[in-house]
Amino acid sequence: MSGNSFGHLFKFTTFGESHGVAIGCIIDGSPPNIPLQVKDIQYWLDRRKPGNSKYTSQRKETDKVEILSGVFDGKTTGAPIALLIRNVDARSKDYDDIKDLYRPGHADYTYHIKYGNRDYRGSGRASARETACRVAAGAVARKILGENIEVKGALIQIGTKKIDHSHWNWAELNNNEFWCPDRNIVPIWSKYLEELRKAGTSVGAMVQIVASNVPPGLGSPVYDRLDADIAKGLMSINAVKSVEIGAGKEVAAKLGEENADEMRIVSGKPEFTSNNSGGILGGISSGQDIIARFSVKPTSSILKTLQTVTVKGEETKVSTKGRHDPCVGIRAVPVGEAMIACSLADHFLRAKALREV
Amino acid sequence: MSGNSFGHLFKFTTFGESHGVAIGCIIDGSPPNIPLQVKDIQYWLDRRKPGNSKYTSQRKETDKVEILSGVFDGKTTGAPIALLIRNVDARSKDYDDIKDLYRPGHADYTYHIKYGNRDYRGSGRASARETACRVAAGAVARKILGENIEVKGALIQIGTKKIDHSHWNWAELNNNEFWCPDRNIVPIWSKYLEELRKAGTSVGAMVQIVASNVPPGLGSPVYDRLDADIAKGLMSINAVKSVEIGAGKEVAAKLGEENADEMRIVSGKPEFTSNNSGGILGGISSGQDIIARFSVKPTSSILKTLQTVTVKGEETKVSTKGRHDPCVGIRAVPVGEAMIACSLADHFLRAKALREV
Amino acid sequence: MSGNSFGHLFKFTTFGESHGVAIGCIIDGSPPNIPLQVKDIQYWLDRRKPGNSKYTSQRKETDKVEILSGVFDGKTTGAPIALLIRNVDARSKDYDDIKDLYRPGHADYTYHIKYGNRDYRGSGRASARETACRVAAGAVARKILGENIEVKGALIQIGTKKIDHSHWNWAELNNNEFWCPDRNIVPIWSKYLEELRKAGTSVGAMVQIVASNVPPGLGSPVYDRLDADIAKGLMSINAVKSVEIGAGKEVAAKLGEENADEMRIVSGKPEFTSNNSGGILGGISSGQDIIARFSVKPTSSILKTLQTVTVKGEETKVSTKGRHDPCVGIRAVPVGEAMIACSLADHFLRAKALREV
Amino acid sequence: MSGNSFGHLFKFTTFGESHGVAIGCIIDGSPPNIPLQVKDIQYWLDRRKPGNSKYTSQRKETDKVEILSGVFDGKTTGAPIALLIRNVDARSKDYDDIKDLYRPGHADYTYHIKYGNRDYRGSGRASARETACRVAAGAVARKILGENIEVKGALIQIGTKKIDHSHWNWAELNNNEFWCPDRNIVPIWSKYLEELRKAGTSVGAMVQIVASNVPPGLGSPVYDRLDADIAKGLMSINAVKSVEIGAGKEVAAKLGEENADEMRIVSGKPEFTSNNSGGILGGISSGQDIIARFSVKPTSSILKTLQTVTVKGEETKVSTKGRHDPCVGIRAVPVGEAMIACSLADHFLRAKALREV
């Protein structure tokens, strides 16, 4: 109820501030007897961690995860799985400059108003550092979903520069620092980000997540639709300002027959001839690929000088140094994957509960 | 947990099928002693009900609401408020044709797979008829929020035809059948929809909701952010495929300084010089207008013939007669308003609970 | 969150005041395709309804239930099941006398303080009338549990007069007006209650519920133990002041070896040689009979004159006429059964969700 | 939903096994700006920890708590408070003997059936060690409730030996190792427990908790009554088999006029002349002392030989050595206090949320 949990049957609750002792989470709801080791989680954390590339924050966090409970003899027991990640490179002194002012685009102002206090050190709970816990929870969700269900994300736009979807090649993702599926745009993005960094600014981005081999029947109408829960999960990621499912925003401009995903019988089974629905009909998975997209705003912390106000109500200017991602959308890719994996694991367990007696 | 509830402290649970005896909801969590009469709810229901204009379904539902509990001497008591709306114009015979096939774009297929049964009469729970209950709950939410907080929606795009935002005039909304704030586009839309109706097809739309005078401090980071809960609420509306907050999808193309909402001191108080954030920072309301947009897909039931499959696994064709909205986006306007009003009421109560002791 | 719901996966939410238009509930979480008809619910409602015997309230409520949703072609669909019971014999005028005072033992005072208002007509939500909805929900829970699992209750004490447990005979329950399993005590209780009625007073009682053939493995440690949820469910019934599981309060006086339920192998399977645990170990069902007991206080509304205070803060006296049960414990038997059936159904679904993938 | 959380607005979730790396909890829902230091929590943990007296387990756990998050500059921030307690004296080898059998009265059998696995080392999650986290959460709950509200527990019965309630003196609690308010029975209990220890057995106990100065109006009818939530909280404590509120089980034997708590006006305010209700009417606090009692069964692990069965289905005998409390009821006193403090804090926040707008 205080907003630090996600999910219902597969539920995780996170804690920890960017510049506190540690961050971590409790995953409550994992079925028992699922093989789980530190390396299963560490693999995904390593993909998200800062300092991976020159285009992300240079904060040196090892993000080493410790499993405190819930696993015995290499398997989940059904008890809550507590994960702990110690903070090792928090430099709170970096934040002395902004201690008494509100940074535009940040949650400084709203947290202060809401809570009557403010953890100015790296934004506290509002920091993107919290997303490491989402990725850790997502790693456990993937184990529950099994190897057949894949949840993969890609960066499809940085600023005004979009990939060419006809060039989409999943295999390219590991060949660049952007999770980019279109090799042609990689050098363009590299040059672009280099220019933006020199200019002391940041840029927005667009991420697409695809979940394959999701069984039909996941999702709980009417309010806990699979797409509604995915929308909530993605919109809860720092800096996200839009969420789309399937044809998304484009449906507004379409006619009925253009948007219809017709059905055929192929090899004796129903199949859809298109996927404008993004794999979800009436809030329930259809068996098609689940396709979601979200936009990520440009990092609010930029070197360029902006007008703002102080805690005491005076006008001032701010230029943020610190170690910030010029395009926070890059690191949002594994986070988006994790949120969708968690939503799927939750609805997977919910579907099991309501299966016929 | 079975998905028929929305909210936490201000919570409503709906029931009823499109062609069943009745629909209704229980609103649990209303504070006591709030003046509430049938007419307070009926007013909003009348705005959503079908048959209001020639551009919406011709089903004749009076949508007369009965308050069964929770109100005594004209005021809420703090007990659950049960609302009942009898169905009066359900023509189940209209659905005999589609009893044995899956309509493209509908939830027929996924419900059947999920539940192993199918209420083919008007889609059962998947029908947009359920949204009347959302509007009823929204009416109570508005009473809790008080008259100062306004939640207003407008239709800003039908198909490829968008309004001119510089012509925005809230006063126009009651002068047309579209909830349209731009008088210039009204005749264009009328003509367009007339053509589409003749062509036996449907079209998508875009809706924008604005909530004004929302106090800062509403929203519960990290997962129950106000924007995340709004995204869930809007995405849970039938046919919605995207949700945006503030600058929304456009942020992907922006630079840091373009997207920054700078702050000034005006009359001794902090103010923002722009509202790309849509009134929400770090998941918490900032005091600016809350701005959300969502796209609504074209009605799936169209006269045009589409390919589909039968329940028995054979290919067939379908052309839907029945009484359907050519542009379901029109009636989505009051529903979108209601969902945002409910999200705000929920976070309003949540903020009260966590206020300093 | 406002307290009108019970359960998590099998969840019901009730509404309605004693002297309002109607009472009812929404059951959300029933699996689909379970045969369900009005008569399946009416059967249990008829057992609870007032006016069944001369020892219960003479209010003439037919308690006719209407299924508004969630059932199609005689089976549950998986959609919420809404049940409605119209109030037909509410005599609000009976309450004019107590409109301005607080009846001792009633919730008049605490409701007034909590909500700042008061529905004096038959106690509103605090009335035992609400328990009809519990019985209705319990009827659906029984269908989910299946015929093999039996939940049966018995009255084992009225005032100082206890049954002889060695005479326990379930078959006797339908032969008397008390749900009493010991035929010898029936005439004693009859005479006793007749005297109490003449004396214008009321008396407490003790109820025991036994659930048989419950599969082992139900219950979710650590906080949602099966016994903890049963304790909550039973303590939430009007007038209940204690809950015991198995040996209950007696364990305080026992030694380790006296209380131990030893195990043997019988016909190749583990069996317990006693059942002090009441069928629950570590919060999880063991496969033995689940045994729970609860005490019910004497009806607070009595003819005898009691000291009390008025709403305006003056001392006064009160003698309650009206139509009240001299021993509300009698009608608590089917209610206790229902709460345990609902707890079991909830944990039955929860166990399914967490079963190995 | 998996049962490791307690509360709604003031909610805590625990993790950790008796013989794992650590135990701990996340408290989500603390209001901001409440002074909180490690010592505020450590004080209460020290009261519960094993090895405090010769009558409790000799396991040497320092139970040193670490605050990982949610506190900044000595005050709560409103963010989740994560607490960590490392296990330091887990001797898993002690459990090799019972690795392959089910100990009577323990959760070995039911956990194995439910989860298909078994953490035999000190019972894993089923260990009373988990209760340290409840006490830690209770310490935070007390800070929220403020110093005026006191929650105090006492041991009132060990085996057949009950205190004399007329000798009750709260000041005695710190003068003995039993939390006993009656100094006369202390030497009797000491001698009794010494004899039981020599005899290799254990004994049950009864605990009473009193919460004073609780404001009227806490509790959410109908299902989340304050007494129902207290019953759930207390019954969820290891080894508890009964819960009573106020006159508790005795009400079954009472007449209406005996049980009635009459009201008077004293110094211009309503007062009750007795407290059979235990401070709760209709599920809502009345302002009187809240009084709850619970029985604790004798420790299941005893030196005396008992019949049991092995994991493989063979009969065997068991005699438990290890380091066990002869009367686990003693250490249940601070745990019971904690659960009630947590229930009150939860309803305290819930009452704030629903207060009139």
Side-chain angles (χ1 to χ4, degrees), chain A residues 10-35:
Chain A
F10 177 83
K11 181 173 195 163
F12 65 92
T13 303
T14 71
F15 66 86
E17 290 83 36
S18 174
H19 288 227
V21 178
I23 58 173
C25 64
I26 299 179
I27 297 153
D28 200 12
S30 171
N33 305 314
I34 294 178

PDB file of all heavy atoms in Angstrom, chain A residues 10-35:
ATOM      1  N   PHE A  10       3.038 -13.454  -7.616  1.00  0.00           N
ATOM      2  CA  PHE A  10       4.484 -13.254  -7.689  1.00  0.00           C
ATOM      3  C   PHE A  10       4.683 -11.788  -7.337  1.00  0.00           C
ATOM      4  O   PHE A  10       4.356 -10.902  -8.124  1.00  0.00           O
ATOM      5  CB  PHE A  10       5.027 -13.539  -9.090  1.00  0.00           C
ATOM      6  CG  PHE A  10       6.504 -13.261  -9.199  1.00  0.00           C
ATOM      7  CD1 PHE A  10       7.421 -14.212  -8.787  1.00  0.00           C
ATOM      8  CD2 PHE A  10       6.980 -12.043  -9.687  1.00  0.00           C
ATOM      9  CE1 PHE A  10       8.791 -13.951  -8.884  1.00  0.00           C
ATOM     10  CE2 PHE A  10       8.331 -11.780  -9.776  1.00  0.00           C
ATOM     11  CZ  PHE A  10       9.244 -12.740  -9.370  1.00  0.00           C
ATOM     12  N   LYS A  11       5.154 -11.541  -6.143  1.00  0.00           N
ATOM     13  CA  LYS A  11       5.205 -10.176  -5.621  1.00  0.00           C
ATOM     14  C   LYS A  11       6.615  -9.861  -5.142  1.00  0.00           C
ATOM     15  O   LYS A  11       7.235 -10.668  -4.457  1.00  0.00           O
ATOM     16  CB  LYS A  11       4.244 -10.099  -4.438  1.00  0.00           C
ATOM     17  CG  LYS A  11       4.146  -8.739  -3.779  1.00  0.00           C
ATOM     18  CD  LYS A  11       3.043  -8.751  -2.738  1.00  0.00           C
ATOM     19  CE  LYS A  11       2.664  -7.359  -2.307  1.00  0.00           C
ATOM     20  NZ  LYS A  11       1.365  -7.329  -1.638  1.00  0.00           N
ATOM     21  N   PHE A  12       7.103  -8.690  -5.494  1.00  0.00           N
ATOM     22  CA  PHE A  12       8.378  -8.298  -4.901  1.00  0.00           C
ATOM     23  C   PHE A  12       8.251  -6.915  -4.288  1.00  0.00           C
ATOM     24  O   PHE A  12       7.446  -6.097  -4.726  1.00  0.00           O
ATOM     25  CB  PHE A  12       9.536  -8.380  -5.905  1.00  0.00           C
ATOM     26  CG  PHE A  12       9.460  -7.426  -7.054  1.00  0.00           C
ATOM     27  CD1 PHE A  12      10.063  -6.170  -6.992  1.00  0.00           C
ATOM     28  CD2 PHE A  12       8.826  -7.777  -8.231  1.00  0.00           C
ATOM     29  CE1 PHE A  12      10.012  -5.284  -8.066  1.00  0.00           C
ATOM     30  CE2 PHE A  12       8.765  -6.903  -9.308  1.00  0.00           C
ATOM     31  CZ  PHE A  12       9.350  -5.652  -9.225  1.00  0.00           C
ATOM     32  N   THR A  13       9.027  -6.715  -3.233  1.00  0.00           N
ATOM     33  CA  THR A  13       9.026  -5.462  -2.487  1.00  0.00           C
ATOM     34  C   THR A  13      10.475  -4.998  -2.405  1.00  0.00           C
ATOM     35  O   THR A  13      11.337  -5.766  -2.000  1.00  0.00           O
ATOM     36  CB  THR A  13       8.470  -5.691  -1.069  1.00  0.00           C
ATOM     37  OG1 THR A  13       7.167  -6.257  -1.170  1.00  0.00           O
ATOM     38  CG2 THR A  13       8.397  -4.391  -0.286  1.00  0.00           C
ATOM     39  N   THR A  14      10.723  -3.757  -2.821  1.00  0.00           N
ATOM     40  CA  THR A  14      12.116  -3.296  -2.814  1.00  0.00           C
ATOM     41  C   THR A  14      12.360  -2.278  -1.712  1.00  0.00           C
ATOM     42  O   THR A  14      11.438  -1.673  -1.185  1.00  0.00           O
ATOM     43  CB  THR A  14      12.498  -2.669  -4.176  1.00  0.00           C
ATOM     44  OG1 THR A  14      11.827  -1.417  -4.330  1.00  0.00           O
ATOM     45  CG2 THR A  14      12.159  -3.588  -5.326  1.00  0.00           C
ATOM     46  N   PHE A  15      13.629  -2.115  -1.382  1.00  0.00           N
ATOM     47  CA  PHE A  15      14.011  -1.121  -0.374  1.00  0.00           C
ATOM     48  C   PHE A  15      15.364  -0.543  -0.753  1.00  0.00           C
ATOM     49  O   PHE A  15      16.063  -1.092  -1.594  1.00  0.00           O
ATOM     50  CB  PHE A  15      14.081  -1.759   1.018  1.00  0.00           C
ATOM     51  CG  PHE A  15      15.182  -2.782   1.157  1.00  0.00           C
ATOM     52  CD1 PHE A  15      16.476  -2.410   1.503  1.00  0.00           C
ATOM     53  CD2 PHE A  15      14.924  -4.122   0.914  1.00  0.00           C
ATOM     54  CE1 PHE A  15      17.491  -3.355   1.620  1.00  0.00           C
ATOM     55  CE2 PHE A  15      15.932  -5.074   1.029  1.00  0.00           C
ATOM     56  CZ  PHE A  15      17.221  -4.683   1.377  1.00  0.00           C
ATOM     57  N   GLY A  16      15.734   0.536  -0.096  1.00  0.00           N
ATOM     58  CA  GLY A  16      17.085   1.046  -0.238  1.00  0.00           C
ATOM     59  C   GLY A  16      17.159   2.330  -1.032  1.00  0.00           C
ATOM     60  O   GLY A  16      16.424   2.550  -1.984  1.00  0.00           O
ATOM     61  N   GLU A  17      18.078   3.183  -0.601  1.00  0.00           N
ATOM     62  CA  GLU A  17      18.284   4.455  -1.266  1.00  0.00           C
ATOM     63  C   GLU A  17      19.572   4.419  -2.080  1.00  0.00           C
ATOM     64  O   GLU A  17      20.493   3.661  -1.769  1.00  0.00           O
ATOM     65  CB  GLU A  17      18.365   5.586  -0.234  1.00  0.00           C
ATOM     66  CG  GLU A  17      17.031   5.878   0.430  1.00  0.00           C
ATOM     67  CD  GLU A  17      16.720   4.960   1.594  1.00  0.00           C
ATOM     68  OE1 GLU A  17      17.660   4.597   2.330  1.00  0.00           O
ATOM     69  OE2 GLU A  17      15.542   4.584   1.757  1.00  0.00           O
ATOM     70  N   SER A  18      19.640   5.287  -3.056  1.00  0.00           N
ATOM     71  CA  SER A  18      20.792   5.358  -3.941  1.00  0.00           C
ATOM     72  C   SER A  18      22.096   5.486  -3.162  1.00  0.00           C
ATOM     73  O   SER A  18      23.097   4.871  -3.500  1.00  0.00           O
ATOM     74  CB  SER A  18      20.616   6.563  -4.866  1.00  0.00           C
ATOM     75  OG  SER A  18      21.748   6.759  -5.658  1.00  0.00           O
ATOM     76  N   HIS A  19      22.087   6.278  -2.125  1.00  0.00           N
ATOM     77  CA  HIS A  19      23.307   6.511  -1.366  1.00  0.00           C
ATOM     78  C   HIS A  19      23.203   5.984   0.062  1.00  0.00           C
ATOM     79  O   HIS A  19      23.882   6.462   0.961  1.00  0.00           O
ATOM     80  CB  HIS A  19      23.645   8.005  -1.371  1.00  0.00           C
ATOM     81  CG  HIS A  19      24.128   8.471  -2.707  1.00  0.00           C
ATOM     82  ND1 HIS A  19      25.232   9.253  -2.877  1.00  0.00           N
ATOM     83  CD2 HIS A  19      23.677   8.211  -3.955  1.00  0.00           C
ATOM     84  CE1 HIS A  19      25.417   9.494  -4.163  1.00  0.00           C
ATOM     85  NE2 HIS A  19      24.478   8.884  -4.835  1.00  0.00           N
ATOM     86  N   GLY A  20      22.356   4.995   0.271  1.00  0.00           N
ATOM     87  CA  GLY A  20      22.275   4.362   1.577  1.00  0.00           C
ATOM     88  C   GLY A  20      23.248   3.191   1.649  1.00  0.00           C
ATOM     89  O   GLY A  20      24.132   3.016   0.810  1.00  0.00           O
ATOM     90  N   VAL A  21      23.055   2.349   2.652  1.00  0.00           N
ATOM     91  CA  VAL A  21      23.929   1.199   2.883  1.00  0.00           C
ATOM     92  C   VAL A  21      23.803   0.165   1.767  1.00  0.00           C
ATOM     93  O   VAL A  21      24.782  -0.396   1.288  1.00  0.00           O
ATOM     94  CB  VAL A  21      23.546   0.529   4.227  1.00  0.00           C
ATOM     95  CG1 VAL A  21      24.401  -0.699   4.482  1.00  0.00           C
ATOM     96  CG2 VAL A  21      23.638   1.521   5.365  1.00  0.00           C
ATOM     97  N   ALA A  22      22.584  -0.086   1.376  1.00  0.00           N
ATOM     98  CA  ALA A  22      22.320  -1.183   0.459  1.00  0.00           C
ATOM     99  C   ALA A  22      20.957  -0.988  -0.171  1.00  0.00           C
ATOM    100  O   ALA A  22      20.137  -0.200   0.307  1.00  0.00           O
ATOM    101  CB  ALA A  22      22.340  -2.516   1.210  1.00  0.00           C
ATOM    102  N   ILE A  23      20.755  -1.705  -1.260  1.00  0.00           N
ATOM    103  CA  ILE A  23      19.414  -1.830  -1.821  1.00  0.00           C
ATOM    104  C   ILE A  23      19.084  -3.323  -1.851  1.00  0.00           C
ATOM    105  O   ILE A  23      19.979  -4.156  -1.655  1.00  0.00           O
ATOM    106  CB  ILE A  23      19.302  -1.220  -3.239  1.00  0.00           C
ATOM    107  CG1 ILE A  23      20.302  -1.887  -4.194  1.00  0.00           C
ATOM    108  CG2 ILE A  23      19.523   0.285  -3.198  1.00  0.00           C
ATOM    109  CD1 ILE A  23      20.142  -1.465  -5.647  1.00  0.00           C
ATOM    110  N   GLY A  24      17.841  -3.647  -2.088  1.00  0.00           N
ATOM    111  CA  GLY A  24      17.506  -5.057  -2.122  1.00  0.00           C
ATOM    112  C   GLY A  24      16.025  -5.267  -2.289  1.00  0.00           C
ATOM    113  O   GLY A  24      15.265  -4.310  -2.470  1.00  0.00           O
ATOM    114  N   CYS A  25      15.628  -6.526  -2.258  1.00  0.00           N
ATOM    115  CA  CYS A  25      14.204  -6.816  -2.386  1.00  0.00           C
ATOM    116  C   CYS A  25      13.859  -8.159  -1.766  1.00  0.00           C
ATOM    117  O   CYS A  25      14.732  -8.995  -1.534  1.00  0.00           O
ATOM    118  CB  CYS A  25      13.762  -6.792  -3.842  1.00  0.00           C
ATOM    119  SG  CYS A  25      14.502  -8.025  -4.884  1.00  0.00           S
ATOM    120  N   ILE A  26      12.598  -8.306  -1.453  1.00  0.00           N
ATOM    121  CA  ILE A  26      12.055  -9.606  -1.055  1.00  0.00           C
ATOM    122  C   ILE A  26      11.099 -10.041  -2.145  1.00  0.00           C
ATOM    123  O   ILE A  26      10.195  -9.287  -2.509  1.00  0.00           O
ATOM    124  CB  ILE A  26      11.277  -9.523   0.281  1.00  0.00           C
ATOM    125  CG1 ILE A  26      12.181  -9.055   1.411  1.00  0.00           C
ATOM    126  CG2 ILE A  26      10.678 -10.883   0.614  1.00  0.00           C
ATOM    127  CD1 ILE A  26      11.447  -8.928   2.758  1.00  0.00           C
ATOM    128  N   ILE A  27      11.332 -11.238  -2.648  1.00  0.00           N
ATOM    129  CA  ILE A  27      10.418 -11.808  -3.639  1.00  0.00           C
ATOM    130  C   ILE A  27       9.564 -12.833  -2.912  1.00  0.00           C
ATOM    131  O   ILE A  27      10.070 -13.838  -2.414  1.00  0.00           O
ATOM    132  CB  ILE A  27      11.213 -12.470  -4.781  1.00  0.00           C
ATOM    133  CG1 ILE A  27      12.035 -11.416  -5.513  1.00  0.00           C
ATOM    134  CG2 ILE A  27      10.270 -13.218  -5.726  1.00  0.00           C
ATOM    135  CD1 ILE A  27      13.264 -11.960  -6.172  1.00  0.00           C
ATOM    136  N   ASP A  28       8.279 -12.552  -2.818  1.00  0.00           N
ATOM    137  CA  ASP A  28       7.386 -13.455  -2.099  1.00  0.00           C
ATOM    138  C   ASP A  28       6.410 -14.037  -3.106  1.00  0.00           C
ATOM    139  O   ASP A  28       5.712 -13.305  -3.800  1.00  0.00           O
ATOM    140  CB  ASP A  28       6.635 -12.694  -1.002  1.00  0.00           C
ATOM    141  CG  ASP A  28       6.081 -13.644   0.056  1.00  0.00           C
ATOM    142  OD1 ASP A  28       6.461 -14.821   0.065  1.00  0.00           O
ATOM    143  OD2 ASP A  28       5.275 -13.186   0.875  1.00  0.00           O
ATOM    144  N   GLY A  29       6.397 -15.344  -3.197  1.00  0.00           N
ATOM    145  CA  GLY A  29       5.473 -15.966  -4.123  1.00  0.00           C
ATOM    146  C   GLY A  29       6.134 -16.890  -5.131  1.00  0.00           C
ATOM    147  O   GLY A  29       5.466 -17.395  -6.022  1.00  0.00           O
ATOM    148  N   SER A  30       7.424 -17.091  -4.982  1.00  0.00           N
ATOM    149  CA  SER A  30       8.046 -18.045  -5.904  1.00  0.00           C
ATOM    150  C   SER A  30       7.583 -19.450  -5.552  1.00  0.00           C
ATOM    151  O   SER A  30       7.605 -19.852  -4.392  1.00  0.00           O
ATOM    152  CB  SER A  30       9.571 -17.981  -5.790  1.00  0.00           C
ATOM    153  OG  SER A  30      10.136 -19.058  -6.537  1.00  0.00           O
ATOM    154  N   PRO A  31       7.152 -20.223  -6.540  1.00  0.00           N
ATOM    155  CA  PRO A  31       6.861 -21.628  -6.270  1.00  0.00           C
ATOM    156  C   PRO A  31       8.136 -22.332  -5.791  1.00  0.00           C
ATOM    157  O   PRO A  31       9.243 -21.864  -6.035  1.00  0.00           O
ATOM    158  CB  PRO A  31       6.416 -22.168  -7.638  1.00  0.00           C
ATOM    159  CG  PRO A  31       6.015 -20.974  -8.434  1.00  0.00           C
ATOM    160  CD  PRO A  31       6.901 -19.868  -7.941  1.00  0.00           C
ATOM    161  N   PRO A  32       7.974 -23.448  -5.099  1.00  0.00           N
ATOM    162  CA  PRO A  32       9.152 -24.166  -4.599  1.00  0.00           C
ATOM    163  C   PRO A  32       9.845 -24.994  -5.684  1.00  0.00           C
ATOM    164  O   PRO A  32       9.280 -25.209  -6.750  1.00  0.00           O
ATOM    165  CB  PRO A  32       8.561 -25.086  -3.531  1.00  0.00           C
ATOM    166  CG  PRO A  32       7.157 -25.326  -3.974  1.00  0.00           C
ATOM    167  CD  PRO A  32       6.717 -24.071  -4.676  1.00  0.00           C
ATOM    168  N   ASN A  33      11.056 -25.407  -5.355  1.00  0.00           N
ATOM    169  CA  ASN A  33      11.799 -26.407  -6.153  1.00  0.00           C
ATOM    170  C   ASN A  33      12.211 -25.932  -7.539  1.00  0.00           C
ATOM    171  O   ASN A  33      12.411 -26.731  -8.437  1.00  0.00           O
ATOM    172  CB  ASN A  33      10.992 -27.704  -6.248  1.00  0.00           C
ATOM    173  CG  ASN A  33      10.632 -28.218  -4.860  1.00  0.00           C
ATOM    174  OD1 ASN A  33      11.493 -28.256  -3.989  1.00  0.00           O
ATOM    175  ND2 ASN A  33       9.372 -28.548  -4.639  1.00  0.00           N
ATOM    176  N   ILE A  34      12.374 -24.627  -7.681  1.00  0.00           N
ATOM    177  CA  ILE A  34      12.907 -24.075  -8.926  1.00  0.00           C
ATOM    178  C   ILE A  34      14.407 -23.859  -8.722  1.00  0.00           C
ATOM    179  O   ILE A  34      14.808 -23.184  -7.774  1.00  0.00           O
ATOM    180  CB  ILE A  34      12.197 -22.758  -9.275  1.00  0.00           C
ATOM    181  CG1 ILE A  34      10.735 -23.041  -9.597  1.00  0.00           C
ATOM    182  CG2 ILE A  34      12.892 -22.052 -10.421  1.00  0.00           C
ATOM    183  CD1 ILE A  34       9.918 -21.828  -9.897  1.00  0.00           C
ATOM    184  N   PRO A  35      15.237 -24.429  -9.573  1.00  0.00           N
ATOM    185  CA  PRO A  35      16.684 -24.238  -9.421  1.00  0.00           C
ATOM    186  C   PRO A  35      17.014 -22.749  -9.490  1.00  0.00           C
ATOM    187  O   PRO A  35      16.548 -22.048 -10.391  1.00  0.00           O
ATOM    188  CB  PRO A  35      17.271 -24.975 -10.633  1.00  0.00           C
ATOM    189  CG  PRO A  35      16.211 -25.944 -11.047  1.00  0.00           C
ATOM    190  CD  PRO A  35      14.905 -25.280 -10.714  1.00  0.00           C
TER     191      PRO A  35
END
